[in-house]
């Protein structure tokens, strides 16, 4: 049994006007993926009915992701800031619900960006309290909330699996899962196997990206170790390919992620290569595991 495989919309386009949505959704289907991850940093730019109709027409599912800004940071001691973040998250949840998606993930727990100082207890408590409320609201429609821990330059709150599990214990809601991204793990963890085993069944979503966020296999990430660990925890959830190049720009997200270089320009070649790389890699890992068990 295989994992649902997805691709981030920014592989295709940086906008979400109807023609952008059509390009991204039809290309995702054509490349053989099961789902598309749609960035919802500004939930108001997504036309819910139009997006749903195009997904249905191409037989695709969607997940939504976002990171907050420092103006909407719930990982803050400023209550006005926290309230703005709460409103953004609830709007994003409305979009996911309206489109019929079962996944909302990303840096939901705070701002996506470099903080000038370490996290404080009060800011962390504010963050966990809003995420608890979001999860309870999401549970009404069986929507899973994924916490994507990221590298130190993109959050001061959750940089590792262990920190994410500890934070999840505070939130204490069953529909909150770990969203692991190997690009970030490559920077912050001592390896891939131990932290992925530590997640166990609390792992709910995986981003597959290279160390330079380009073509899979051309960087330094040990994907053999990643895929074997995922097979060993019997991970059957979504695996979404994430890659960024200056060839495709989202005015908001690309600058936040420091996408300055052109790592590719042929989106379809990149995406079909990634799909085969992930699918073949997971099959190999499961076969190896099966042989060891015999
Ligand atoms: Mn990611």
């Amino acid at each position: 049994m295989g994992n649902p495989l997805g691709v981030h919309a920014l592989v295709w386009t940086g906008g979400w006007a109807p023609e952008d949505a059509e390009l991204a959704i039809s290309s995702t289907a054509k490349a053989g993926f099961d789902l598309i991850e749609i960035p919802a940093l500004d939930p108001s730019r997504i036309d819910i009915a139009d997006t749903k109709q195009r997904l249905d027409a191409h037989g695709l599912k969607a997940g939504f992701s976002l990171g907050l800004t420092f103006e909407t940071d719930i990982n803050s001691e400023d209550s006005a800031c926290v309230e703005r973040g709460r409103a953004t998250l609830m709007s994003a949840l409305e979009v996911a619900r309206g489109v019929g998606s079962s996944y909302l993930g990303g840096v939901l727990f705070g701002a996506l960006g470099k903080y000038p100082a370490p996290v404080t207890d009060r800011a962390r408590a504010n963050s966990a309290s809003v995420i608890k409320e979001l999860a309870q609201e999401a549970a009404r429609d069986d929507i899973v909330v994924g916490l994507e821990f990221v590298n130190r330059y993109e959050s001061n709150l959750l940089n590792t699996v262990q920190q994410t599990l500890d934070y999840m214990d505070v939130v204490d809601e069953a529909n909150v899962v770990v969203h692991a991204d190997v690009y970030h793990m490559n920077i912050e963890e001592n390896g891939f196997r131990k932290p992925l085993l530590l997640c166990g069944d609390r792992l709910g979503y995986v981003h597959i990206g290279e160390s330079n966020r380009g073509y899979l296999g051309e960087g330094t990430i040990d994907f053999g170790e990643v895929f074997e660990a995922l097979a060993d925890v019997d991970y059957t959830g979504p695996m979404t390919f994430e890659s960024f190049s200056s060839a495709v720009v989202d005015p908001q997200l690309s600058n936040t992620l420091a996408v300055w270089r052109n790592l590719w320009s042929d989106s379809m070649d990149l995406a079909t290569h990634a799909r085969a790389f992930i699918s073949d890699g997971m099959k190999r890992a499961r076969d190896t595991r099966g042989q060891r068990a015999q």
Side-chain angles (χ1 to χ4, degrees), residues 148 179 181 184 207 213 242:
E148 183 177 9
H179 173 149
D181 181 328
H184 297 291
H207 269 167
R213 307 204 105 160
E242 214 177 25

Side-chain angles (χ1 to χ4, degrees), residues 120-193:
T120 67
D121 289 345
R122 229 175 92 203
R124 186 196 281 107
N126 285 342
S127 169
S129 148
V130 174
I131 291 298
K132 186 176 184 74
E133 194 185 336
L134 177 73
Q136 287 174 345
E137 190 60 30
R140 291 173 41 197
D141 293 282
D142 294 324
I143 296 174
V144 168
V145 170
L147 304 177
E148 183 177 9
F149 59 96
V150 291
N151 73 73
R152 65 190 69 191
Y153 305 108
E154 298 181 28
S155 173
N156 69 354
L157 177 53
L158 302 183
N159 301 140
T160 66
V161 162
Q162 187 61 62
Q163 288 176 325
T164 308
L165 294 174
D166 292 345
Y167 177 95
M168 281 165 62
D169 288 341
V170 175
V171 173
D172 195 25
E173 296 293 336
N175 60 329
V176 177
V177 299
V178 179
H179 173 149
D181 181 328
V182 297
Y183 163 80
H184 297 291
M185 293 180 75
N186 181 56
I187 297 171
E188 300 296 344
E189 304 279 7
N190 293 338
F192 299 101
R193 183 173 180 79

Side-chain angles (χ1 to χ4, degrees), residues 52-70:
K52 181 170 174 24
Q53 181 249 316
R54 291 178 199 281
L55 288 165
D56 290 347
H58 289 283
L60 274 192
K61 292 195 183 314
F64 288 88
S65 61
L66 72 152
L68 296 171
T69 68
F70 287 106

Side-chain angles (χ1 to χ4, degrees), residues 10 13-16 41 45 248-257:
L10 205 46
T13 178
W16 205 252
L41 284 91
R45 82 168 184 170
V248 178
V249 171
D250 175 329
Q252 200 175 348
L253 189 54
S254 300
N255 291 348
T256 304
L257 297 179

Side-chain angles (χ1 to χ4, degrees), residues 22 76 165 175 224 245 250 262:
E22 183 59 30
S76 165
L165 294 174
N175 60 329
S245 167
D250 175 329
N262 186 329

Side-chain angles (χ1 to χ4, degrees), residues 28-39:
T28 297
K30 193 176 162 200
F33 289 93
D34 308 296
L35 67 109
I36 181 168
E37 182 175 320
I38 304 170

